[in-house]
Amino acid sequence: LHERRAAMDLALALVRKRQRGGEKVRIVAMSATLDAEPVAAFLDAEVATVEGRVFPVTTRHLPAEREERLERHVRRGIQAAIDDAPEGDILVFLPGAGEIRRAMRECQRLAKRENLELAPLYGELSASEQDRAVQKGKRRKVILSTNIAESSVTVQGVTAVVDAGLVRKAKVGAAGLSSLETVKASRASLDQRRGRAGRVREGYCVRLFTQADESRRQSADLPELQDSELADVLLSLLSMGHQPASLDWLSAPSERYLGEAKVLLQAIGAITIADDRLELTERGRSISRFPVHPRLGALIEAGVARDVGPRACLLAAMLGERTLRQGGEGHAFYSPASDALDILAELERFEHVGEPGSLHRMRAQSVFRARDQLLRNISPGRKASPENGLDEEEEALRESLLAAFPDRVATQESGRLILCGGGSAERDAGSVVRDAPWVLVLDARQRMGRKQVLGTMLSEIEPEWLLEFESIREVEETLFSETRKRVIRRSAIRYGVLSVDESESFDVDPVEAGKALATHIGEGRAARHFDIDAFDAYRQRLRFARENGFEAPEVDDSLGAVLAHACEGAASTNDLRKEGLVDALTRLIGYERKMELERFAPAFVQLPGRKRAPVTYSSAHEPFVSSRLQDFFGLRKGPHIAGGRVPLVLHLLAPNRRAVQVTKDLEGFWERHYPDIRKELKRRYSRHAWPEDPCASLPPKK
């Protein structure tokens, strides 16, 4: 149970269900690394501990130097391991085959100087090459391996480990494309790798990162059921007659990945969903017969229906094998037979596999074995070798690929791929599908240090093929066109977010045009077209009035709602009026209420020294008027609003426009505070009039 693969957890859940159903089934779970208590609790089992012999391993950290490439860092790590452990083989952990090949080239001179044998170890190698890596050699050996040597393969004679601390994992990004990402290995994986150095004697481990980096890493890897896509798991469950919720799980499947699996299986026609119950369709039962991912099963099923079953099986086997060309990623050894399908030239070369140097022999044999296994699941009348040439079957194969990858449809322009599910990717420069406007993105990868996904295998499709899918829909929408600078009506046939066909018209309903224009402007752009300050002041007056007994219709006075009313009847920003927001809010409450509002909560009040002093309304404080103190001469009591019930807060300003007093009681201010303030103001502003009796005096002229 070390790696918690999805198939292992599924098998455990199925066996546990039979056990709890009364069958006499004995379950023994073994692991050298797993926390035993949760597993024992799940199985109602006892814990038996068997101690193994483990030698101590000394660990040191050797972080990268500034801007140091990984292969050079690995070379320094191997040298450090040679210095620490003068005997025994050295096991180096790297994330993938590409890094292993680059590190081997970098270490050639070191190997010659130290009399070392370099041996790669990863899944794509032949059985003999893998055997050579794990078997004891005549010279000291450096095995450069992926995490296959972490638990799946035991390498004898290792006394030192050099760990880059990285691992390659399949991830599904926001764009809906699954890709391989290089991520940091968990602390549990690091410990498992280090333990490989302590099998035969005291060992050494060189970690190519800092101790602080190690401490910040995830403690353990998540079970595969919670960290990977689950379409094959879900299809297997349903084909056996089980619903996901009907099983007890050691770790429940991720709701996110389970939901994505349902969407995919629905898209390829494998399941229907009714009242949260999943049911296999006839197509789903046919797909489940093939021992491959449901996508590839859908490819074969569609190929059989189009009488191209044998080549569809070969395509499925090739797609399952991923990297087929001899020489690894990024090297093309052929002139493509078609610019419509990247993998077509590979398929053609498989059919002429006798050509020297065209394919990696072991990979080709693996593909042929997988193809033959898939052919056994096709009815005898459909599995004969194709009589037609590849060019005659190409269109049917591309249609079959669409049936398997309906969620990978994209449009292409200048190397940029816009995906039907939203998001985008870049086209791989090595793709032969350069000019096709509509494509399928069959494979993708995440480039180191970049967020953008790279579409590495494309297939051209015809947009009319999409009309057969249930996800196609007709859409009619009213929206603002940036190119035409006005609101238009657009009719479109959509596949996801992509338009298969569309037309535009200026014949737009006025109400809908206003809504579309308001959506385009939004709150962020409203200030470009309207007096926002005037609108906010008017809205605050109305809110104050309502709170103090003013009767007015209850309306939504938010900026977004009033903006929609202000845009009614307008089809472009040139049709808008500057004061439109105030007018729109007035229309909502009724023009007859506007005059009453002016009397109840006026925008201005008259003072002896000022005919129109603005009143400020705000939700943060009481209404106030701010003016020079001398403007209030001749006034015994301050102005009131709301039918005389609410006194205004008065900000009495000195000649320097700073408040010397803030009050609602003007009469009390004249009596208690003005005499002392008068003395200070008269001293500082001697050229201004400061009468002893301000109530009996007239304001001086400005």
Side-chain angles (χ1 to χ4, degrees):
L1 289 179
H2 166 60
E3 293 182 329
R4 295 295 304 279
R5 298 293 186 193
M8 187 178 297
D9 274 19
L10 173 59
L12 185 62
L14 292 171
V15 173
R16 184 63 170 149
K17 183 173 184 177
R18 297 184 65 175
Q19 187 186 56
R20 288 181 172 174
E23 292 190 39
K24 293 183 178 180
V25 180
R26 182 172 295 177
I27 302 174
V28 179
M30 296 182 291
S31 175
T33 58
L34 204 64
D35 184 5
E37 295 303 328
V39 181
F42 174 73
L43 296 175
D44 298 324
E46 297 179 357
V47 177
T49 302
V50 179
E51 297 291 344
R53 187 176 63 172
V54 180
F55 294 93
V57 177
T58 302
T59 304
R60 62 181 288 193
H61 294 82
L62 186 69
E65 296 176 349
R66 184 178 178 85
E67 298 183 357
E68 184 177 30
R69 295 203 307 268
L70 178 59
E71 55 267 29
R72 292 190 177 183
H73 195 189
V74 168
R75 186 190 65 192
R76 287 201 301 119
I78 293 172
Q79 184 64 65
I82 292 171
D83 297 339
D84 287 342
E87 297 180 359
D89 292 339
I90 300 171
L91 178 59
V92 182
F93 283 101
L94 288 163
E99 290 84 356
I100 288 174
R101 287 191 289 268
R102 287 191 291 273
M104 288 188 66
R105 288 194 295 268
E106 178 68 28
C107 294
Q108 289 295 335
R109 295 175 67 179
L110 172 65
K112 187 175 181 179
R113 185 178 68 243
E114 299 287 346
N115 193 29
L116 302 173
E117 178 186 353
L118 298 178
L121 179 60
Y122 50 92
E124 295 173 358
L125 295 174
S126 67
S128 61
E129 289 173 310
Q130 294 187 40
D131 288 343
R132 186 175 70 83
V134 301
Q135 291 170 356
K136 190 68 177 173
K138 296 179 180 179
R139 292 181 294 162
R140 191 177 192 186
K141 186 181 297 183
V142 176
I143 305 101
L144 297 101
S145 174
T146 61
N147 64 339
I148 190 174
E150 186 177 316
S151 60
S152 303
V153 175
T154 298
V155 183
Q156 301 294 334
V158 170
T159 59
V161 164
V162 176
D163 190 359
L166 302 171
V167 65
R168 198 93 82 216
K169 286 192 173 183
K171 293 289 182 182
V172 179
L177 291 177
S178 57
S179 60
L180 289 175
E181 294 183 14
T182 301
V183 298
K184 292 181 178 181
S186 68
R187 295 199 302 273
S189 288
L190 297 181
D191 290 343
Q192 181 76 3
R193 295 175 180 187
R194 177 177 58 188
R196 294 288 164 173
R199 294 294 183 88
V200 295
R201 53 173 289 178
E202 182 179 338
Y204 298 87
C205 176
V206 180
R207 289 180 171 168
L208 305 182
F209 42 89
T210 65
Q211 195 164 0
D213 177 6
E214 179 182 329
S215 65
R216 291 191 296 266
R217 296 190 180 209
Q218 186 175 303
S219 60
D221 294 322
L222 288 173
E224 202 172 52
L225 281 177
Q226 298 180 341
D227 196 35
S228 64
E229 70 100 31
L230 300 174
D232 51 348
V233 173
L234 182 56
L235 187 65
S236 296
L237 263 180
L238 297 174
S239 66
M240 291 184 283
H242 300 288
Q243 296 288 317
S246 68
L247 297 179
D248 290 329
W249 301 90
L250 178 57
S251 299
S254 159
E255 288 296 327
R256 171 199 164 189
Y257 289 119
L258 199 57
E260 291 174 355
K262 294 175 185 177
V263 170
L264 173 59
L265 293 180
Q266 266 192 307
I268 63 176
I271 65 170
T272 58
I273 304 177
D275 300 326
D276 292 331
R277 183 169 179 82
L278 313 179
E279 297 290 346
L280 273 185
T281 62
E282 286 300 321
R283 180 177 171 84
R285 291 188 182 90
S286 177
I287 291 172
S288 67
R289 296 199 315 268
F290 298 102
V292 288
H293 188 278
R295 283 192 191 276
L296 302 183
L299 164 61
I300 299 169
E301 199 269 348
V304 170
R306 290 169 173 79
D307 293 322
V308 291
R311 281 197 173 107
C313 286
L314 181 54
L315 263 183
M318 292 166 62
L319 287 169
E321 186 68 16
R322 294 184 66 89
T323 304
L324 305 170
R325 291 182 291 276
Q326 188 171 1
E329 300 174 1
H331 298 278
F333 292 93
Y334 59 91
S335 298
S338 168
D339 59 1
L341 185 60
D342 279 329
I343 202 172
L344 197 66
E346 295 284 6
L347 189 148
E348 185 176 42
R349 206 141 41 85
F350 265 96
E351 294 185 342
H352 301 84
V353 75
E355 297 177 7
S358 61
L359 286 168
H360 190 290
R361 185 180 300 277
M362 293 305 300
R363 293 177 195 157
Q365 291 176 357
S366 176
V367 167
F368 283 133
R369 284 195 299 269
R371 179 204 59 183
D372 294 343
Q373 183 181 12
L374 295 171
L375 281 171
R376 287 195 289 271
N377 290 276
I378 296 178
S379 60
R382 299 266 191 162
K383 64 173 64 174
S385 299
E387 297 179 359
N388 298 323
L390 184 56
D391 55 341
E392 297 175 82
E393 294 191 353
E394 177 192 321
E395 183 171 310
L397 290 172
R398 288 192 282 128
E399 288 179 324
S400 302
L401 284 166
L402 176 59
F405 295 86
D407 55 330
R408 297 285 185 84
V409 174
T411 56
Q412 177 182 212
E413 185 176 352
S414 302
R416 186 164 177 258
L417 305 169
I418 309 300
L419 299 157
C420 64
S424 64
E426 292 180 22
R427 184 193 67 214
D428 189 350
S431 172
V432 300
V433 188
R434 297 179 181 277
D435 302 320
W438 287 84
V439 297
L440 288 178
V441 184
L442 303 179
D443 202 3
R445 62 183 172 89
Q446 191 90 31
R447 289 190 288 185
M448 284 289 289
R450 299 192 185 183
K451 293 182 179 180
Q452 187 71 27
V453 172
L454 195 68
T456 57
M457 188 177 292
L458 308 182
S459 168
E460 181 181 2
I461 61 171
E462 302 300 328
E464 55 266 26
W465 297 349
L466 302 172
L467 300 177
E468 301 178 7
F469 288 83
E470 292 183 2
S471 53
I472 201 81
R473 69 191 194 282
E474 294 186 24
V475 177
E476 193 165 288
E477 56 187 350
T478 302
L479 73 162
F480 186 88
S481 170
E482 290 286 0
T483 56
R484 301 184 183 276
K485 302 300 181 186
R486 60 160 295 145
V487 175
I488 61 170
R489 180 165 56 87
R490 178 180 292 162
S491 300
I493 299 175
R494 291 273 174 81
Y495 188 86
V497 301
L498 304 177
S499 291
V500 178
D501 186 34
E502 64 181 32
S503 60
E504 296 179 354
S505 170
F506 293 149
D507 182 16
V508 183
D509 178 78
V511 175
E512 294 300 316
K515 291 179 181 178
L517 185 59
T519 300
H520 165 70
I521 293 173
E523 296 186 12
R525 301 179 183 176
R528 299 181 188 177
H529 308 286
F530 299 101
D531 188 340
I532 297 297
D533 292 336
F535 164 70
D536 194 54
Y538 189 71
R539 178 172 58 174
Q540 294 295 347
R541 287 172 59 206
L542 181 59
R543 290 179 178 179
F544 164 81
R546 281 207 191 95
E547 292 169 358
N548 288 275
F550 181 74
E551 294 183 0
E554 289 291 336
V555 297
D556 183 355
D557 64 357
S558 66
L559 176 56
V562 178
L563 179 62
H565 287 279
C567 292
E568 283 183 3
S572 71
T573 54
N574 293 331
D575 299 335
L576 300 174
R577 290 174 294 170
K578 193 73 175 175
E579 296 290 336
L581 291 177
V582 173
D583 293 340
L585 186 51
T586 300
R587 288 200 306 272
L588 288 172
I589 65 171
Y591 282 102
E592 69 281 0
R593 309 301 291 164
K594 183 178 181 181
M595 297 307 298
E596 296 177 24
L597 179 65
E598 289 296 335
R599 292 189 292 271
F600 193 91
F604 300 91
V605 293
Q606 186 172 355
L607 301 176
R610 191 175 180 184
K611 289 184 178 181
R612 288 170 59 84
V615 181
T616 301
Y617 297 84
S618 171
S619 58
H621 44 67
E622 298 177 88
F624 69 89
V625 60
S626 178
S627 194
R628 61 177 186 157
L629 185 152
Q630 294 160 315
D631 291 337
F632 294 87
F633 289 173
L635 192 65
R636 184 169 296 280
K637 293 184 178 181
H640 286 60
I641 57 175
R645 297 194 305 273
V646 178
L648 284 173
V649 176
L650 310 177
H651 292 227
L652 309 177
L653 309 180
N656 65 356
R657 309 302 295 175
R658 293 183 180 178
V660 296
Q661 189 73 16
V662 177
T663 181
K664 289 192 289 186
D665 181 10
L666 183 61
E667 187 175 18
F669 168 74
W670 294 139
E671 292 177 0
R672 294 187 294 275
H673 303 292
Y674 177 71
D676 293 333
I677 291 176
R678 172 180 173 271
K679 294 177 184 178
E680 177 64 22
L681 292 176
K682 189 174 182 180
R683 182 183 65 80
R684 295 180 62 186
Y685 306 102
S686 58
R687 300 176 65 180
H688 292 256
W690 304 105
E692 292 184 5
D693 185 1
C695 296
S697 303
L698 294 176
K701 293 182 179 180
K702 293 183 181 179

